[in-house]
Amino acid sequence: MRIQVINPNTSDAMTHKIGLAAQAIARPGTQIIACSPEDGPVSIEGHFDEAIATLGVLEEVRKGREQQVDAHIIACFGDPGLLAAREYATAPVIGIAEAAFHMAALIATRFAVVTTLSRTRIIAEHLLQRYGFSELCTSVRCIDLPVLALEEGGPELIERMIDQARRARDEEGAGAIVLGCGGMADLPRQLSEAIGLPVVEGVSAAVKLAESLVDLGLTTSKHGDLADPIGKPFKGRFAYLSR
Amino acid sequence: MRIQVINPNTSDAMTHKIGLAAQAIARPGTQIIACSPEDGPVSIEGHFDEAIATLGVLEEVRKGREQQVDAHIIACFGDPGLLAAREYATAPVIGIAEAAFHMAALIATRFAVVTTLSRTRIIAEHLLQRYGFSELCTSVRCIDLPVLALEEGGPELIERMIDQARRARDEEGAGAIVLGCGGMADLPRQLSEAIGLPVVEGVSAAVKLAESLVDLGLTTSKHGDLADPIGKPFKGRFAYLSR
Amino acid sequence: MRIQVINPNTSDAMTHKIGLAAQAIARPGTQIIACSPEDGPVSIEGHFDEAIATLGVLEEVRKGREQQVDAHIIACFGDPGLLAAREYATAPVIGIAEAAFHMAALIATRFAVVTTLSRTRIIAEHLLQRYGFSELCTSVRCIDLPVLALEEGGPELIERMIDQARRARDEEGAGAIVLGCGGMADLPRQLSEAIGLPVVEGVSAAVKLAESLVDLGLTTSKHGDLADPIGKPFKGRFAYLSR
Amino acid sequence: MRIQVINPNTSDAMTHKIGLAAQAIARPGTQIIACSPEDGPVSIEGHFDEAIATLGVLEEVRKGREQQVDAHIIACFGDPGLLAAREYATAPVIGIAEAAFHMAALIATRFAVVTTLSRTRIIAEHLLQRYGFSELCTSVRCIDLPVLALEEGGPELIERMIDQARRARDEEGAGAIVLGCGGMADLPRQLSEAIGLPVVEGVSAAVKLAESLVDLGLTTSKHGDLADPIGKPFKGRFAYLSR
Amino acid sequence: MRIQVINPNTSDAMTHKIGLAAQAIARPGTQIIACSPEDGPVSIEGHFDEAIATLGVLEEVRKGREQQVDAHIIACFGDPGLLAAREYATAPVIGIAEAAFHMAALIATRFAVVTTLSRTRIIAEHLLQRYGFSELCTSVRCIDLPVLALEEGGPELIERMIDQARRARDEEGAGAIVLGCGGMADLPRQLSEAIGLPVVEGVSAAVKLAESLVDLGLTTSKHGDLADPIGKPFKGRFAYLSR
Amino acid sequence: MRIQVINPNTSDAMTHKIGLAAQAIARPGTQIIACSPEDGPVSIEGHFDEAIATLGVLEEVRKGREQQVDAHIIACFGDPGLLAAREYATAPVIGIAEAAFHMAALIATRFAVVTTLSRTRIIAEHLLQRYGFSELCTSVRCIDLPVLALEEGGPELIERMIDQARRARDEEGAGAIVLGCGGMADLPRQLSEAIGLPVVEGVSAAVKLAESLVDLGLTTSKHGDLADPIGKPFKGRFAYLSR
């Protein structure tokens, strides 16, 4: 089984980290193909970055489709381009935010999200609403460090995360923590030990869900809104998409 | 890995069928332990049956815990006793209704449920509400055949299911079908071919989610409402539960 | 009129207290039959306790049905076994949580719940959601004393309740307080005087609603999901339920 | 105990009918004071009628308050002026729509409303939303006969109601029917017998809830938004309301 | 174009202020007709005041209709009588609360409301729910100064508003502030400068929406629940409304 | 005042039609700058088309910003790139779907959407949910003609629209119709006359809302999630976006 893990931003260090996290959890026989777009922002910290990164995600999906991967993972917590990718791909597509929410819902009645910047909270809130998890999530909490600061790590990072997670646990009754950034893929154990709650990380969750769908022989419904894109002319630099 | 699959009713034929379905999808190395309570109803077709069956589920969870299974599955579409089992178990516990809903949400923007009796529709609707999937589910549709009639199969069964699934697809825009009964574990392929939609069956979905949680090292949050039951005296025939 | 008040736990002192509270509010001519199961936990402090206690509740409902009582009350704030009991009984069945919520909604636009343990908050939240009262309830607040500590009473108990109720009033705008435990049946007056809000206690509320339904000639709808349980074989120690 | 039943419209025949229905269900010792405003529309069939009728309701509440009644009932299905009346009264105030919804929720998991005109459906839907019952109500169905046509009765009236109720039962799974007009107070038995579902009528439901609140010593919370109106000058013909 | 701006209370100073605010924002060629009822409360600070004021609003709508104004604005934040006025008028009718909510939704993903008295918070919350904006509004915050204190202004007023708005911004992530009282029509600039957020004031927002509807040739749907009131007899002092 | 109207697809005929519709409703003194991307699909009929078109929208926003337009309108019913554009622009940005919903909510208590293809219904439903209008919209109805078929017009087009609108009116009680495609900008009058309901068209609605925001001095909140995009490197063909 081959699973393509797409880091939607263009930071190679993060792609590397995400790929390691994915491979570490993949079962023997599952090959992880970590990649990231050639074009786009080095980090995704808002709606604008996400919109631009979506183009790169779809390009990577196209490559993955040509390579006949068995599943695609979109490894940014906003699940950028998820529904477009489901139209475009033939194999199943999973976003790491949805993956983490689904897993958290299986182990706790209430969970909280700990993410990077306050300005991206709305992105998580919109996803929670669209996926149906608004009632299950006690809050989306932000450490207010930029995405790329996760690369540097350091004690301040984990301390801020512990602080937010602890408040979610003690003030809001959260029973599990969802990590709200693909760049946090190396942090769940440390956080879990510090606060005594299970911590769900989206990249690893998505790998397991991808394997599961493949095993089940389930893929995106091609009846209705997720059917292949309707063939039509595209103009300009997207002319190559015309069908 | 050993996964206990609990058929909450006391019909051995259904336990056998569920066990086969679980084993068929389990990956090599996963052992399925299919079981059912010694005490309880032969089928679960309402709140009352479900309440009685819950005791049997918890008894089986206790046995599974003693056998140190890696995960428990509750293989009745009402997920009877799910939260109680999560308190009582140390390993993760998954209900087949929630499992099917989660998987369906990954492959379609809208899905429908096809279940047995109209009188059990409310059970599915309450679960959809509690889990957060009300908006994603276009309707819970009933074929109005009793649970044990599934054993006999026959053309009428599958025809009724196809009829309901087709209406969900054409009238409501459902992109996937969730099978609403553990006793339908052998039907997804036939239904899927007939209507051209992916069909999600809960037992197999739950097996994959159980394997996933074990791989991820995630289990029920033991902080808060799902912590081990508070030790206390039980009276009468439940005295053995005292701690 | 004879109303059966079922204390779902097996604590005789609490059954006695609940019976007194019920009789005190019953109108002349209403006979209260307070009872509790022979088998089950001495207190209900989680999903597991509730699942076991449900069996006792249904046994008591059966006895009450044989005694041809006019209504049944389930006197634990989680309303354990409510829908199963409605199937099983011919007379109306009322849970004290729902009773208290309904009454509170008639006297305030927003109310808060003050209950015992934090770990049971989720039970109240699930009921509020299922019954439709989530928006009307500002919060479910916990004093974090075990259920049986209510028997001892003492100044700490009422002080903690006053503290939580006051915060609901001042910080959230709650106009009424719902007591979230059958064992608080003797506390409404004291709390109400301390905080200047009406305090709704579920046992007394349920008695009045039971009298009301009987007067109105209304009982559980026997068309659909609350119809009598479908007759079927039960195995093992539940064989006596076979029909 | 004295309960004031206010018919918000100025149709004496309807006031009489409502008064009879209220007295018939009131327990011995409860005196029903049926009344209607001197000023206002003869029927309430929209937002405008309701707005005008609200003044009359408040005038009647004032009279009832001076007579020191124990409770007020607003006997029009839109519950016109309910929150204003709760501010203005010292005794509890109950609307017949809310009363019927609360009672229906105790005997069925899903109910439908059968009311008069399509144009008033939105009024019922807004109330269902505000009170929290939107999910419990399968639909608000209209017979499209004007309110005063209820006075004439006749076979067409009941046939239309039976038709709508039957469709709610068979197509939507409604387990109980709520009558959506004060002028239907004499119809529940006939409808219930025809369709085999319990039928909840708001006037009688409100009488029992009023008696219940009085017995419980509960009245409108006077802390917060339902406290007595803030004293202030009123101008013109409302100058008499100045305080 | 002539737009009638109805101040629902009978305070001439507030009518004057509202009229000035409306005229200031109206485009050249739009004539503002500011008015207020002859009969009713000098301020609206609860459900009761609102119910009485609604009569005056409808009277003013009638006058405006006779003057053939092009649109009516109800300039009190509770939008009193809005749906009744829509039935009664032929031109479009806009409430200042809805106007402000709609505009705020166009410039921020989350907004907060800053209003006068805590007891009126529920009115705003009910409107947010009915209009669909509950999720977009982070909170309704109160400065707990009476409506008429707005006339006096003074540093305490604006300081309290700044304090509440700042907390909404910093603690809840509100991106815009809605002023929750018609009497605040002169305050948006000052508040906006102090906190660095856009501030939406309902009177001016309503004027622009009224102009917009007129330009678009859109007016209240006269099919269904907002059609002209059904002609019928009115009794007593409302006999003049009979048709 | 200069308003940029961006047709997100690359069909010049549609850009022309949209530009005409916008100019027709703009007030004297408002200049409409109709444009469309150089790169992208000729029509937008799904998530994939929308994702690609978003880049073109943002490119056009950039041009508009450089031209210092006073407002931007995104003239495709899925509001593609709306939040990204709000970050990226300094002037207000309005989508035609949100514009139409807001206007419809001012003239009817319930509205329906009539759009082109069934597969795009989910896009409208997601927007309704995110904006808060789910309860106000009775259904999203599809004529199942492709977007570009709107150019050809013909009797079948309008007949299908009339058929869907009539069913929304008669079966669901919709009081207004929202046209669900920018390419329908020339159809409202014809449809409105045929069915007797107000018909809201998004391009014209958006122009009036844009003028309104500019008049009010309101623009996108630049505090929080809609603040200017955080400066960062972009790679590859998006390097020009680096800051």
Side-chain angles (χ1 to χ4, degrees):
Chain A
M1 192 186 307
R2 292 185 308 150
I3 298 177
Q4 182 191 36
V5 179
I6 304 167
N7 171 22
N9 74 34
T10 54
S11 159
D12 292 337
M14 196 174 292
T15 307
H16 183 68
K17 185 204 287 189
I18 288 171
L20 287 181
Q23 194 65 60
I25 193 68
R27 65 192 189 203
T30 296
Q31 181 189 348
I32 297 296
I33 305 170
C35 60
S36 64
E38 292 169 24
D39 311 299
V42 298
S43 63
I44 300 179
E45 298 170 320
H47 309 292
F48 180 82
D49 293 348
E50 200 174 78
I52 302 299
T54 293
L55 290 164
V57 168
L58 295 175
E59 274 303 292
E60 296 306 306
V61 166
R62 190 177 56 74
K63 292 178 196 166
R65 200 181 55 186
E66 287 166 2
Q67 298 165 35
Q68 296 184 297
V69 300
D70 295 287
H72 312 261
I73 289 172
I74 301 177
C76 169
F77 202 75
D79 292 353
L82 178 61
L83 296 179
R86 286 201 173 127
E87 282 188 13
Y88 199 39
T90 49
V93 185
I94 294 176
I96 65 168
E98 60 172 358
F101 298 152
H102 286 288
M103 286 301 180
L106 294 173
I107 56 171
T109 49
R110 295 285 186 264
F111 61 81
V113 177
V114 176
T115 186
T116 51
L117 296 180
S118 293
R119 73 177 290 161
T120 63
R121 180 165 43 203
I122 194 74
I123 295 176
E125 289 179 356
H126 282 163
L127 293 182
L128 288 162
Q129 180 188 44
R130 203 175 80 193
Y131 299 157
F133 296 117
S134 295
E135 294 300 308
L136 276 61
C137 180
T138 62
S139 67
V140 179
R141 293 176 160 275
C142 309
I143 56 170
D144 278 313
L145 286 179
V147 169
L148 295 182
L150 301 180
E151 294 311 298
E152 304 156 20
E156 191 184 4
L157 167 63
I158 192 73
E159 273 162 27
R160 286 197 191 188
M161 294 181 68
I162 290 170
D163 178 51
Q164 292 298 327
R166 186 177 284 132
R167 288 173 57 187
R169 181 193 69 190
D170 295 343
E171 298 171 15
E172 303 167 355
I177 300 297
V178 165
L179 296 184
C181 180
M184 294 172 171
D186 53 345
L187 296 173
R189 180 164 309 176
Q190 203 175 348
L191 182 58
S192 181
E193 284 170 5
I195 58 163
L197 296 186
V199 173
V200 184
E201 188 278 316
V203 175
S204 50
V207 170
K208 302 321 288 184
L209 287 174
E211 290 176 346
S212 297
L213 286 177
V214 173
D215 282 357
L216 290 163
L218 291 172
T219 187
T220 301
S221 176
K222 286 294 168 178
H223 181 91
D225 63 294
L226 299 177
D228 295 343
I230 297 174
K232 66 185 56 171
F234 281 69
K235 292 188 180 165
R237 60 175 152 166
F238 294 116
Y240 70 97
L241 294 172
S242 302
R243 280 188 306 164
Chain B
M1 192 186 306
R2 291 184 309 150
I3 298 178
Q4 183 191 36
V5 179
I6 304 168
N7 171 22
N9 75 34
T10 54
S11 160
D12 292 336
M14 196 174 292
T15 307
H16 184 68
K17 186 204 287 188
I18 288 171
L20 287 181
Q23 193 66 60
I25 193 68
R27 65 190 190 206
T30 297
Q31 181 190 348
I32 298 296
I33 304 170
C35 60
S36 64
E38 293 168 23
D39 311 300
V42 297
S43 63
I44 298 178
E45 297 171 320
H47 309 291
F48 181 80
D49 293 348
E50 200 175 78
I52 302 297
T54 293
L55 180 68
V57 168
L58 296 175
E59 279 298 299
E60 296 305 306
V61 167
R62 189 175 56 75
K63 291 178 196 166
R65 200 181 55 187
E66 286 166 4
Q67 298 166 35
Q68 295 184 300
V69 300
D70 295 288
H72 313 261
I73 289 173
I74 301 177
C76 169
F77 202 75
D79 293 354
L82 179 61
L83 295 179
R86 284 201 174 126
E87 282 187 13
Y88 199 39
T90 49
V93 185
I94 293 177
I96 65 168
E98 61 172 358
F101 297 152
H102 286 288
M103 286 300 180
L106 293 174
I107 57 171
T109 49
R110 295 284 185 266
F111 60 81
V113 177
V114 176
T115 187
T116 52
L117 297 180
S118 293
R119 73 177 291 162
T120 62
R121 179 165 44 205
I122 193 74
I123 295 177
E125 289 180 357
H126 283 161
L127 293 182
L128 287 161
Q129 181 188 43
R130 203 175 80 195
Y131 300 158
F133 296 117
S134 294
E135 294 299 306
L136 275 61
C137 180
T138 63
S139 66
V140 179
R141 292 177 161 274
C142 309
I143 56 171
D144 278 314
L145 285 179
V147 169
L148 294 182
L150 300 181
E151 294 311 297
E152 305 157 18
E156 193 185 2
L157 167 62
I158 191 73
E159 274 162 27
R160 288 197 190 187
M161 293 181 69
I162 289 169
D163 178 52
Q164 292 298 327
R166 186 178 284 132
R167 290 172 58 186
R169 181 194 69 191
D170 295 344
E171 298 171 16
E172 302 167 355
I177 301 296
V178 165
L179 296 184
C181 180
M184 295 172 171
D186 52 347
L187 297 172
R189 180 164 311 177
Q190 204 176 347
L191 182 59
S192 181
E193 284 170 3
I195 58 162
L197 295 187
V199 173
V200 184
E201 189 279 314
V203 175
S204 49
V207 170
K208 304 320 290 183
L209 288 174
E211 290 176 346
S212 297
L213 287 178
V214 173
D215 282 358
L216 290 162
L218 289 173
T219 188
T220 301
S221 176
K222 287 293 168 179
H223 182 91
D225 63 294
L226 299 177
D228 294 343
I230 296 175
K232 67 185 57 171
F234 282 68
K235 291 188 181 166
R237 60 174 160 161
F238 296 118
Y240 70 96
L241 294 171
S242 301
R243 282 189 305 165
Chain C
M1 192 186 308
R2 291 184 308 150
I3 299 176
Q4 183 191 34
V5 179
I6 304 168
N7 170 21
N9 74 33
T10 54
S11 159
D12 292 335
M14 196 175 292
T15 307
H16 184 67
K17 187 204 285 189
I18 288 171
L20 287 181
Q23 194 64 61
I25 194 68
R27 66 189 188 206
T30 296
Q31 181 190 347
I32 297 297
I33 304 171
C35 60
S36 64
E38 292 168 23
D39 312 299
V42 298
S43 63
I44 299 178
E45 296 170 321
H47 308 292
F48 180 81
D49 293 348
E50 201 174 77
I52 303 297
T54 292
L55 289 165
V57 167
L58 295 175
E59 274 302 293
E60 296 306 305
V61 166
R62 190 177 56 75
K63 291 179 196 167
R65 201 180 56 187
E66 286 167 3
Q67 297 167 35
Q68 296 185 298
V69 300
D70 295 288
H72 312 260
I73 289 172
I74 300 176
C76 169
F77 202 75
D79 292 354
L82 179 61
L83 295 179
R86 284 200 175 128
E87 281 188 14
Y88 199 39
T90 49
V93 185
I94 294 175
I96 65 168
E98 61 172 358
F101 296 152
H102 285 287
M103 286 302 181
L106 293 174
I107 57 172
T109 49
R110 294 286 186 266
F111 60 83
V113 177
V114 176
T115 186
T116 51
L117 296 181
S118 292
R119 73 178 288 163
T120 63
R121 179 165 43 204
I122 194 73
I123 295 176
E125 288 180 357
H126 282 162
L127 293 181
L128 288 161
Q129 181 188 44
R130 203 174 80 194
Y131 299 157
F133 295 117
S134 294
E135 294 300 307
L136 276 60
C137 180
T138 62
S139 67
V140 178
R141 294 177 159 274
C142 308
I143 56 171
D144 278 314
L145 286 179
V147 170
L148 295 182
L150 300 181
E151 295 310 298
E152 305 157 19
E156 192 184 3
L157 167 63
I158 192 72
E159 273 163 27
R160 287 196 191 188
M161 293 181 68
I162 289 170
D163 178 51
Q164 292 297 327
R166 185 178 285 132
R167 289 171 57 186
R169 182 193 69 191
D170 295 343
E171 297 171 16
E172 303 168 354
I177 300 297
V178 164
L179 296 184
C181 180
M184 293 172 171
D186 52 345
L187 296 173
R189 180 164 310 177
Q190 204 176 346
L191 182 59
S192 180
E193 283 170 4
I195 58 163
L197 296 186
V199 173
V200 184
E201 187 279 316
V203 175
S204 49
V207 170
K208 303 320 289 184
L209 288 174
E211 289 176 346
S212 296
L213 286 178
V214 173
D215 282 358
L216 290 163
L218 290 172
T219 187
T220 301
S221 176
K222 285 295 166 176
H223 181 91
D225 63 294
L226 299 177
D228 294 343
I230 296 175
K232 67 187 54 171
F234 281 69
K235 290 189 182 166
R237 60 174 152 166
F238 294 118
Y240 70 97
L241 293 173
S242 303
R243 279 189 305 164
Chain D
M1 192 185 307
R2 292 184 308 150
I3 298 177
Q4 183 191 34
V5 179
I6 303 168
N7 170 22
N9 76 34
T10 54
S11 159
D12 292 337
M14 195 173 293
T15 308
H16 184 67
K17 187 204 285 188
I18 288 171
L20 286 180
Q23 194 64 61
I25 194 68
R27 65 190 189 205
T30 296
Q31 182 190 347
I32 298 296
I33 304 171
C35 60
S36 64
E38 291 167 26
D39 311 300
V42 297
S43 63
I44 298 177
E45 296 170 319
H47 309 292
F48 181 81
D49 293 347
E50 201 175 77
I52 303 297
T54 293
L55 181 69
V57 168
L58 296 175
E59 279 300 298
E60 296 305 307
V61 166
R62 189 176 55 75
K63 292 178 196 166
R65 200 181 56 188
E66 286 167 4
Q67 297 166 36
Q68 295 184 299
V69 299
D70 295 288
H72 313 261
I73 289 171
I74 300 177
C76 169
F77 202 75
D79 293 354
L82 178 62
L83 295 179
R86 285 200 174 127
E87 282 188 12
Y88 199 39
T90 48
V93 185
I94 294 176
I96 64 167
E98 60 172 359
F101 297 151
H102 286 288
M103 285 300 180
L106 293 174
I107 57 171
T109 49
R110 294 286 185 265
F111 61 82
V113 177
V114 176
T115 186
T116 52
L117 297 180
S118 293
R119 75 177 290 161
T120 62
R121 180 165 42 205
I122 193 74
I123 295 176
E125 288 180 356
H126 283 162
L127 293 182
L128 287 162
Q129 181 187 44
R130 203 175 80 194
Y131 300 158
F133 295 117
S134 295
E135 294 299 308
L136 276 61
C137 181
T138 63
S139 66
V140 179
R141 294 177 159 274
C142 307
I143 56 171
D144 278 313
L145 286 179
V147 169
L148 294 181
L150 300 181
E151 295 310 298
E152 304 157 20
E156 192 184 3
L157 167 62
I158 192 74
E159 273 162 26
R160 288 196 190 188
M161 293 181 68
I162 290 169
D163 178 52
Q164 292 299 326
R166 185 177 286 132
R167 289 172 58 186
R169 182 194 68 190
D170 295 344
E171 298 170 15
E172 302 167 356
I177 301 297
V178 164
L179 296 184
C181 179
M184 294 173 171
D186 53 346
L187 297 173
R189 181 164 309 177
Q190 205 176 346
L191 181 59
S192 180
E193 285 170 2
I195 57 162
L197 296 187
V199 173
V200 183
E201 189 279 315
V203 175
S204 50
V207 170
K208 302 322 289 183
L209 287 174
E211 289 176 346
S212 297
L213 286 177
V214 173
D215 283 358
L216 290 163
L218 290 173
T219 188
T220 301
S221 175
K222 286 295 167 179
H223 181 91
D225 63 294
L226 299 177
D228 295 343
I230 296 175
K232 67 185 56 172
F234 281 69
K235 290 189 182 167
R237 59 174 159 162
F238 296 119
Y240 70 97
L241 294 172
S242 303
R243 280 187 306 164
Chain E
M1 192 186 307
R2 292 184 307 150
I3 298 177
Q4 183 192 34
V5 180
I6 304 168
N7 170 21
N9 74 34
T10 53
S11 159
D12 291 337
M14 196 174 292
T15 307
H16 184 68
K17 186 204 287 188
I18 288 171
L20 286 181
Q23 195 64 61
I25 194 67
R27 64 190 189 207
T30 297
Q31 181 190 348
I32 297 296
I33 305 171
C35 60
S36 63
E38 292 169 24
D39 312 298
V42 297
S43 64
I44 299 178
E45 297 171 319
H47 308 292
F48 181 81
D49 294 347
E50 200 175 78
I52 302 298
T54 293
L55 289 164
V57 168
L58 295 175
E59 274 304 291
E60 296 306 306
V61 166
R62 190 177 55 75
K63 290 179 196 165
R65 200 181 56 188
E66 286 167 3
Q67 297 166 36
Q68 296 185 298
V69 299
D70 295 288
H72 313 261
I73 289 172
I74 301 177
C76 168
F77 201 75
D79 292 353
L82 178 62
L83 295 179
R86 285 201 174 126
E87 282 188 13
Y88 199 39
T90 50
V93 186
I94 294 176
I96 64 168
E98 60 173 358
F101 297 152
H102 286 288
M103 285 302 180
L106 293 173
I107 56 171
T109 50
R110 294 286 185 266
F111 60 82
V113 177
V114 176
T115 187
T116 51
L117 296 181
S118 292
R119 73 177 291 162
T120 63
R121 179 166 44 204
I122 193 74
I123 295 176
E125 288 180 356
H126 283 162
L127 293 182
L128 288 161
Q129 180 188 45
R130 203 174 79 195
Y131 300 157
F133 295 118
S134 295
E135 294 299 307
L136 276 61
C137 180
T138 62
S139 66
V140 179
R141 294 177 159 274
C142 308
I143 56 171
D144 278 313
L145 285 178
V147 169
L148 295 182
L150 301 180
E151 295 311 297
E152 304 157 20
E156 192 184 4
L157 167 63
I158 192 73
E159 275 162 26
R160 288 195 189 190
M161 293 181 69
I162 290 170
D163 177 52
Q164 293 298 327
R166 185 178 286 132
R167 289 171 58 186
R169 182 193 69 190
D170 296 343
E171 298 170 16
E172 303 167 353
I177 301 296
V178 165
L179 296 184
C181 180
M184 294 172 171
D186 53 345
L187 297 172
R189 180 164 310 176
Q190 204 175 348
L191 182 59
S192 180
E193 284 170 4
I195 58 164
L197 297 187
V199 173
V200 184
E201 188 279 315
V203 175
S204 50
V207 170
K208 302 321 287 183
L209 287 174
E211 290 176 345
S212 296
L213 286 177
V214 173
D215 282 358
L216 290 163
L218 290 172
T219 186
T220 301
S221 176
K222 287 294 169 177
H223 181 91
D225 63 294
L226 299 177
D228 295 342
I230 296 174
K232 66 186 58 172
F234 281 69
K235 290 189 182 166
R237 60 175 153 166
F238 294 117
Y240 71 98
L241 293 172
S242 303
R243 280 189 306 165
Chain F
M1 193 185 309
R2 292 184 309 150
I3 299 177
Q4 183 192 35
V5 179
I6 304 168
N7 170 23
N9 74 35
T10 54
S11 159
D12 292 337
M14 196 174 291
T15 308
H16 184 67
K17 187 203 286 188
I18 288 170
L20 287 181
Q23 194 64 62
I25 193 66
R27 65 189 190 207
T30 297
Q31 181 190 349
I32 298 296
I33 305 170
C35 60
S36 63
E38 293 168 23
D39 311 300
V42 297
S43 63
I44 298 177
E45 297 170 319
H47 309 292
F48 180 81
D49 293 347
E50 200 174 79
I52 302 298
T54 292
L55 180 69
V57 168
L58 296 176
E59 279 299 299
E60 296 306 306
V61 166
R62 188 176 55 75
K63 292 179 196 165
R65 200 181 57 188
E66 285 166 4
Q67 297 167 35
Q68 296 185 299
V69 299
D70 295 287
H72 313 261
I73 289 172
I74 301 176
C76 170
F77 202 75
D79 293 354
L82 179 61
L83 296 179
R86 286 202 173 126
E87 282 188 13
Y88 199 39
T90 49
V93 185
I94 294 177
I96 65 168
E98 63 172 356
F101 298 151
H102 285 288
M103 285 302 180
L106 293 174
I107 58 172
T109 48
R110 294 286 185 266
F111 61 82
V113 177
V114 176
T115 186
T116 52
L117 297 180
S118 293
R119 74 177 290 162
T120 62
R121 180 166 40 205
I122 194 74
I123 295 177
E125 288 180 357
H126 282 163
L127 292 182
L128 288 162
Q129 181 188 45
R130 202 175 80 195
Y131 299 157
F133 295 117
S134 294
E135 295 299 307
L136 275 61
C137 180
T138 63
S139 66
V140 180
R141 293 176 160 274
C142 308
I143 57 171
D144 278 313
L145 286 178
V147 168
L148 294 181
L150 300 181
E151 294 311 297
E152 306 157 19
E156 192 185 3
L157 166 62
I158 191 74
E159 273 162 28
R160 288 196 191 187
M161 293 181 69
I162 290 169
D163 177 52
Q164 291 299 327
R166 186 177 284 132
R167 288 172 59 187
R169 181 194 70 191
D170 296 343
E171 298 170 15
E172 303 167 354
I177 301 296
V178 165
L179 295 183
C181 180
M184 294 172 171
D186 53 346
L187 296 173
R189 180 164 310 176
Q190 204 175 346
L191 181 59
S192 181
E193 284 170 4
I195 58 162
L197 296 187
V199 173
V200 184
E201 189 279 316
V203 175
S204 50
V207 170
K208 302 321 290 183
L209 288 174
E211 290 176 345
S212 297
L213 287 177
V214 173
D215 283 358
L216 290 163
L218 289 172
T219 187
T220 300
S221 175
K222 286 294 168 179
H223 181 91
D225 62 294
L226 300 176
D228 295 343
I230 296 175
K232 65 185 58 171
F234 282 69
K235 290 188 181 166
R237 60 174 159 163
F238 296 119
Y240 70 97
L241 294 172
S242 302
R243 279 190 305 164

